[in-house]
Each structure stands twice: as structure tokens, then as C-alpha cells.
Amino acid sequence: MSAALLRRGLELLGQSEVSQSASKQAKPRGSSAKRARKAKATQGRKLRNSAKGKVPKSALAEFQKRECQDHLRANLKFLTATRSTVAEAVTQKILVQNRGRKACDRPVTKTKKKKAEGTVFTEEDFQKFQQEYFGS
């Protein structure tokens, strides 16, 4: 938290304490209206000193707004309440219906692997060819 934000939060807390103590004390009649107007004007100038005329917020309120909330219980309650059991045959029909006509949507079909074919030539045939071709 920056020092400026901390100062502003303390100023806001200080203003709320001052306003509470001022309301408890008896106010003298007379020029109190002028003082109140002047105090509001200076307070307005102080608040306007922030970036682009925005009123600074309480640091405590900002912290509470950004505080991490745990939604686990609510989510579990929702998920267990909406659970419905559907027959396996029905779900398979839905899955088959939702499959598209593209090849990537079709299930993989198992193909039988062919046995590796042996060579027709023997080792003697290779040696005979080598002697005739290379002459060694």
C-alpha cells in the first residue's frame, strides 16, 4: 500500500472522528453558517487534489472489496442440487447425434494390422546378383 493512499485513509478517518466529536459539542449560534460553508469549501479543495478530480476512497473499503471470497460451499451446493441421472443409452444417443460429419468428429475405427510380408529373394540370390553386377 502506498504512503499517499495510507495518508488519505487516515485523513478520511480523522474527518469522520472530527465530525462525530463536533456534533456532540454545543455549537455557538451566530457565524456558524459561514464557518461551515468555508470548511466545506476547503474540504472540497482537498478532495479535488487527487488524480483527475476523483474523490479518494477509504483504504479499508478498498481492502474489503478486493478481499478473496470463498465460493466453494455455494458452488458445491449448486452442483449437487442440479445433479440428474440419465440412462447410459440416452447419453450415447445424444453423443451420436451431436457428432458432426467431419472426420475429426467420427470415432476412431480399429483396423487389423497386416502381417509383415517376407522377401521373395533368398540370401543366395543377393550374392549372385552382387557378383553379376559388381563383378567381384
Side-chain angles (χ1 to χ4, degrees):
M1 186 182 299
S2 68
L5 208 97
L6 187 62
R7 264 188 260 115
R8 286 188 185 138
L10 290 173
E11 285 176 10
L12 290 173
L13 287 173
Q15 288 173 0
S16 64
E17 289 176 6
V18 170
S19 64
Q20 289 174 356
S21 63
S23 64
K24 291 179 182 177
Q25 296 176 354
K27 295 181 183 177
R29 301 239 176 202
S31 65
S32 64
K34 287 184 181 179
R35 285 185 197 150
R37 243 184 273 137
K38 194 172 184 179
K40 284 183 184 176
T42 57
Q43 183 182 6
R45 272 191 231 120
K46 284 182 182 177
L47 294 178
R48 257 186 269 132
N49 290 339
S50 63
K52 296 186 179 181
K54 293 183 180 178
V55 178
K57 297 177 183 175
S58 168
L60 184 63
E62 287 291 318
F63 173 74
Q64 288 173 345
K65 183 172 74 172
R66 289 192 172 92
E67 189 177 14
C68 184
Q69 296 177 355
D70 187 24
H71 299 289
L72 178 67
R73 288 196 188 281
N75 290 342
L76 286 175
K77 187 176 181 181
F78 175 75
L79 288 173
T80 55
T82 58
R83 183 180 295 170
S84 63
T85 55
V86 180
E88 183 68 26
V90 174
T91 57
Q92 289 301 321
K93 283 182 183 178
I94 292 171
L95 288 174
V96 168
Q97 183 180 3
N98 287 338
R99 274 193 205 117
R101 297 182 66 180
K102 294 187 285 185
C104 63
D105 293 334
R106 293 184 187 153
V108 178
T109 56
K110 296 180 181 178
T111 57
K112 295 180 181 179
K113 293 184 179 180
K114 295 181 180 178
K115 294 181 181 178
E117 294 180 7
T119 61
V120 182
F121 301 105
T122 62
E123 187 65 32
E124 296 167 353
D125 293 333
F126 284 118
Q127 288 176 357
K128 186 178 177 183
F129 173 76
Q130 187 178 5
Q131 286 177 357
E132 289 174 1
Y133 191 75
F134 295 114
S136 51

